[in-house]
């Protein structure tokens, strides 16, 4: 399915107004779809699976900023460490340590977001507040830089619930914004709930199906 260019234009206009970054989530979509959006000037793309990202990255222009938004296993960090722009789903100290190690090996600083669990669903990954506090208390790593937080709201039509969850994430984000000036990214909002996320203070939305069609 071709990219929905009209939607893209509308979305960009809305996001420009609020200063929100759009990560176009291209998981399971062919490189042709990514290239189509790239040609409209888009550079931020999100992928969930390491193998898929590693396959696609060399086939596409090198100025694409690749966001890894899936659950990252420590033993796979090395495959994306040379080029990944931002790792959204860091949810353990050991993963952060491994990212730092691979950042050092590649002579770069890898930007990361800590994933916080705010949804009701048990299955979603992420830290609770206590675990987040613990991770934020670790002295800063030179090659893995925590840039902010990422989270997902419940998959629910109850907008009050979704708003409350995003607001909670925002409050946790505010709690740490003093830590360092680069702690300034709040990644929340997907195709179904991005409007609420923006109202609640998102600085980065991750949108897939709205742009690329259903998976
Ligand atoms: C797939 C995915 C998205 C995009 O979902 P859509 O509903 O297609 O916009 C955003 N964030 C994460 C973590 C995802 O896995």
């Amino acid at each position: 399915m071709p990219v929905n260019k009209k939607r893209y234009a509308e979305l960009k206009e809305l996001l420009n107004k609020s200063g929100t970054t759009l990560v176009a989530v291209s998981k399971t979509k062919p490189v042709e779809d990514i290239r189509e959006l790239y040609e409209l000037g888009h550079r931020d793309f999100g992928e969930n699976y390491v193998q898929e990202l590693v396959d696609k990255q060399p086939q596409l222009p090198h100025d694409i900023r690749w966001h890894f938004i899936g659950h990252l296993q420590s033993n796979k960090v090395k495959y994306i460490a040379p080029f990944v722009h931002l790792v959204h789903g860091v949810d353990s100290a050991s993963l952060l340590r491994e990212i730092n190690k691979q950042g050092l090996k590649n002579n770069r600083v890898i930007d990361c977001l800590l994933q916080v669990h705010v949804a009701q669903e048990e299955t979603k990954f992420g830290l609770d507040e206590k675990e987040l506090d613990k991770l934020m208390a670790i002295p800063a790593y030179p090659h893995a830089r925590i840039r902010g937080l990422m989270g997902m709201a419940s998959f629910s039509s109850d907008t009050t619930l979704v708003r409350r969850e995003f607001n909670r994430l925002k409050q946790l984000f505010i709690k740490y914004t003093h830590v360092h000036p680069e702690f300034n990214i709040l990644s929340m909002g997907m195709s179904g709930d991005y409007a609420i996320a923006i109202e609640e203070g998102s600085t980065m939305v991750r949108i897939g199906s709205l742009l690329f069609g259903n998976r």
Side-chain angles (χ1 to χ4, degrees):
M1 218 202 300
V3 171
N4 192 328
K5 292 186 178 170
K6 187 165 167 282
R7 275 267 174 74
Y8 175 70
E10 290 166 357
L11 202 52
K12 279 301 282 182
E13 199 186 318
L14 174 79
L15 297 176
N16 283 345
K17 266 187 224 147
S18 54
T20 313
T21 304
L22 171 63
V23 176
V25 177
S26 47
K27 63 182 179 213
T28 78
K29 297 296 175 182
V31 291
E32 291 72 35
D33 286 10
I34 298 172
R35 203 169 279 122
E36 232 185 294
L37 214 50
Y38 179 89
E39 267 148 31
L40 295 179
H42 200 73
R43 293 294 179 269
D44 291 277
F45 291 90
E47 291 281 341
N48 279 55
Y49 309 103
V50 169
Q51 189 55 54
E52 189 180 344
L53 175 52
V54 167
D55 286 345
K56 285 173 170 173
Q57 188 266 343
Q59 303 180 55
L60 287 156
H62 290 293
D63 61 342
I64 285 183
R65 295 183 287 267
W66 290 107
H67 295 248
F68 191 80
I69 64 169
H71 185 69
L72 184 57
Q73 289 169 284
S74 291
N75 61 354
K76 295 195 172 159
V77 175
K78 57 178 177 284
Y79 301 116
I80 62 171
F83 64 87
V84 72
H85 175 70
L86 181 63
V87 179
H88 287 232
V90 176
D91 63 355
S92 73
S94 58
L95 178 57
L96 191 62
R97 207 179 313 122
E98 177 63 18
I99 293 171
N100 180 61
K101 187 175 142 191
Q102 297 300 332
L104 173 64
K105 269 193 185 164
N106 288 279
N107 193 28
R108 61 188 298 251
V109 179
I110 300 175
D111 282 342
C112 302
L113 303 178
L114 300 180
Q115 185 171 354
V116 183
H117 182 275
V118 290
Q120 287 189 324
E121 288 105 335
E122 279 293 324
T123 51
K124 289 200 173 142
F125 294 107
L127 307 154
D128 63 26
E129 185 170 359
K130 236 181 170 171
E131 293 167 329
L132 175 64
D133 288 345
K134 262 195 185 161
L135 253 175
M136 289 303 299
I138 298 173
Y141 283 113
H143 294 276
R145 178 169 55 179
I146 300 174
R147 294 292 310 273
L149 304 180
M150 177 267 209
M152 277 184 269
S154 296
F155 188 72
S156 166
S157 55
D158 180 352
T159 55
T160 309
L161 173 72
V162 169
R163 185 177 297 281
R164 199 190 312 133
E165 291 171 352
F166 282 145
N167 186 262
R168 193 171 133 62
L169 191 56
K170 168 78 181 198
Q171 297 312 318
L172 291 172
F173 176 65
I174 289 171
K175 181 172 162 184
Y176 288 110
T177 44
H178 66 279
V179 172
H180 56 76
E182 294 90 10
F183 189 95
N184 58 10
I185 301 174
L186 180 57
S187 167
M188 62 183 195
M190 310 180 15
S191 290
D193 56 19
Y194 68 90
I196 302 175
I198 291 166
E199 285 168 12
E200 294 305 321
S202 169
T203 72
M204 188 176 272
V205 291
R206 310 174 309 270
I207 294 183
S209 45
L210 206 61
L211 296 169
F212 295 110
N214 288 330
R215 288 179 294 272

